[in-house]
Amino acid sequence: GVIGKHLVRALAPTYQIITAGLADAELMMDLSQVASICSALQQAGPLDAIVCTAGRANFSPLSNINAAQGDDSLYAFGLRDKLMGQVNLALASRGILRRAGSITLTSGTTSDDPLLGGSSLSMVNGALEAWVRAAATEWPDEVRLNLVSPSLVEGTPASAANAFPGIPVMPG
């Protein structure tokens, strides 16, 4: 994604980067599939740090969302991918990160600044933030569990940026 590409460009001169994702990455990883997460981490081997800028959720007006069980809910995609995908990545990384390592997950501004049509994003971002605060208090082996909530960045498609009126686009 856009933020991940900016991050790789910024860190690559100083650090060895192993990219993972659904496409155009060294390791294929689908955050909605635990087996995919575990396989990619095993392929990567021991790591000093993990930074996850991925995670998808539906963007839909609340009027289009009805009460539904589990996977039948329009919220299920974001819960499975962005929320549980990053939670599962963090949990699976415990055997991969070196002592005093770091894992950084990404939520988003919608947990504090909701948008029309963004209730799914607000829900998963808020839940991820709460989970990181709680889990960090008992995280093992001096590994730091972090969460960032970036704004829009240069290169964000206009269709996505337009959904965030008044939010400035930050330079990459």
Side-chain angles (χ1 to χ4, degrees), residues 5 83 120 137 142 148 168:
K5 287 177 182 159
L83 174 61
S120 180
T137 64
E142 299 174 3
V148 296

Side-chain angles (χ1 to χ4, degrees), residues 2-3 6 59 106-110 113 115 121 149-172:
V2 176
I3 292 174
H6 284 294
F59 201 85
T106 304
S107 69
T109 59
T110 59
D113 297 314
L115 301 170
L121 292 169
S149 182
S151 186
L152 298 173
V153 296
E154 187 178 350
T156 299
S159 59
N162 291 339
F164 295 81
I167 303 294
V169 176
M170 307 308 283

